[in-house]
Amino acid sequence: MKTNIFKLSILSVSILAMTAFNVSANDDVPDPADVTKVLTALKVSVGTNSNDYDAAVEAELKIGGSFNKNNSFLTMISAQGATKDSAESMDADDFDLREYRARWFQVFGTGIEAMPKAGYSIDYVDHSNDDSDPIDHIIAVGGVLKVPVLANWVMYPNIAVVQANLKDEYKTGGSDDGKGFQVNIFNSIYLNKKGAYLAINPQYSWLDFDTYTTQDLMVETTFGMPLTDSRKWWFSATYKETISDVSFDNKTLAMPDVSYKANDDKRQFRVGVTYIF
């Protein structure tokens, strides 16, 4: 892990919120789809990465609290590991801790019915231990609004400023760390009064690495449902797909542009269980 892991710059926010069918009308009702809600939870997921079906394990801890009824916060720490490409076993030598993530976000009540909450976050994602990723780490800051659309549908538009730091071996031909932005539209759709939900979260990002620019469209879809009447235990299934575009400024380089091609190595599927304390 790099010594600059605590370097500060910039990333995005992600907030989901309020529910319909009176699911979140009671603040005591656990609801993992509403990240504006104060909660402390532990989630463990297993699944696969990419078309090589690399086995993956992910753990996420969230700790939430409130300064007052209109000022709440959530901290999140997660780690993700997977077998190496084309590995045939789960031996220790074949397994990498590929991603570490730490996030802080804070949400404020606005008193506006059409936009009841607004917030910001600082997010750090570290890929320094993943040999398959040219990005060392991403740091960014962003803001989000909560916009109720229908009785059972809440939307969270988000804009974030992003910095992506390349690993030293990829800083060739004049390329340097990338700077740009992300636009997210988080959607939380509630399916019944018990709290089952569908989250559909498209994310567009644009980054300039001096000699080339990248565009990524990522769509993450999650289905979640409570496993117990107390809603302390939850099941979730998530599929993530990323489509990328790469344009090189120097056309004399023997590097072809990539026009919105699906990233096989960034396809992810997870099933997980969450316990809310």
Side-chain angles (χ1 to χ4, degrees):
M1 181 104 53
K2 305 288 185 185
T3 57
N4 64 353
I5 190 172
F6 298 109
K7 186 190 287 185
L8 207 40
S9 231
I10 343 182
L11 168 113
S12 92
V13 82
S14 97
I15 297 178
L16 274 104
M18 228 160 151
T19 135
F21 309 123
N22 295 323
V23 172
S24 64
N26 184 348
D27 286 340
D28 295 330
V29 176
D31 179 13
D34 181 357
V35 256
T36 65
K37 190 183 272 286
V38 174
L39 58 81
T40 298
L42 176 64
K43 179 179 180 180
V44 177
S45 303
V46 295
T48 62
N49 286 352
S50 82
N51 283 351
D52 291 329
Y53 302 108
D54 301 337
V57 179
E58 189 171 348
E60 177 182 283
L61 174 65
K62 292 180 178 179
I63 301 174
S66 295
F67 297 107
N68 57 57
K69 66 177 183 178
N70 287 319
N71 186 347
S72 59
F73 68 87
L74 183 69
T75 61
M76 186 271 284
I77 300 172
S78 68
Q80 179 184 148
T83 54
K84 294 181 180 178
D85 290 343
S86 304
E88 296 179 356
S89 68
M90 284 288 286
D91 295 337
D93 291 341
D94 295 329
F95 192 82
D96 287 330
L97 283 173
R98 295 191 179 184
E99 179 182 294
Y100 305 90
R101 185 176 184 180
R103 182 180 69 190
W104 163 276
F105 78 76
Q106 198 163 355
V107 181
F108 304 90
T110 65
I112 303 171
E113 184 176 354
M115 187 189 68
K117 291 188 179 182
Y120 74 93
S121 83
I122 300 172
D123 210 328
Y124 177 89
V125 184
D126 186 278
H127 294 283
S128 60
N129 202 44
D130 185 355
D131 294 337
S132 65
D133 198 318
I135 301 297
D136 185 271
H137 61 271
I138 297 172
I139 319 171
V141 92
V144 68
L145 300 176
K146 175 182 177 180
V147 181
V149 180
L150 299 174
N152 66 329
W153 175 17
V154 184
M155 183 182 295
Y156 307 87
N158 160 244
I159 298 178
V161 182
V162 181
Q163 178 169 312
N165 290 60
L166 285 172
K167 295 173 182 175
D168 290 341
E169 58 266 34
Y170 290 94
K171 293 182 178 180
T172 58
S175 62
D176 204 347
D177 298 331
K179 297 177 177 63
F181 65 91
Q182 289 178 350
V183 177
N184 305 271
I185 303 177
F186 300 97
N187 295 274
S188 184
I189 301 169
Y190 292 86
L191 305 177
N192 59 33
K193 293 183 179 181
K194 293 183 179 181
Y197 66 90
L198 183 67
I200 303 173
N201 305 327
Q203 173 186 284
Y204 170 81
S205 63
W206 181 91
L207 290 168
D208 184 354
F209 291 91
D210 289 344
T211 61
Y212 63 94
T213 59
T214 64
Q215 299 180 78
D216 290 289
L217 177 62
M218 186 273 289
V219 179
E220 181 179 85
T221 303
T222 299
F223 168 76
M225 61 178 290
L227 295 174
T228 60
D229 291 339
S230 66
R231 297 181 186 169
K232 293 288 188 180
W233 290 94
W234 289 73
F235 166 83
S236 63
T238 300
Y239 178 73
K240 185 186 296 185
E241 177 81 43
T242 301
I243 298 173
S244 295
D245 177 274
V246 182
S247 299
F248 289 89
D249 298 335
N250 187 352
K251 300 304 180 181
T252 63
L253 294 175
M255 298 291 291
D257 291 350
V258 177
S259 182
Y260 287 104
K261 179 180 179 181
N263 267 342
D264 291 343
D265 60 336
K266 291 188 177 181
R267 288 190 171 109
Q268 294 183 359
F269 176 73
R270 301 281 189 274
V271 291
V273 175
T274 300
Y275 178 71
I276 299 177
F277 296 89

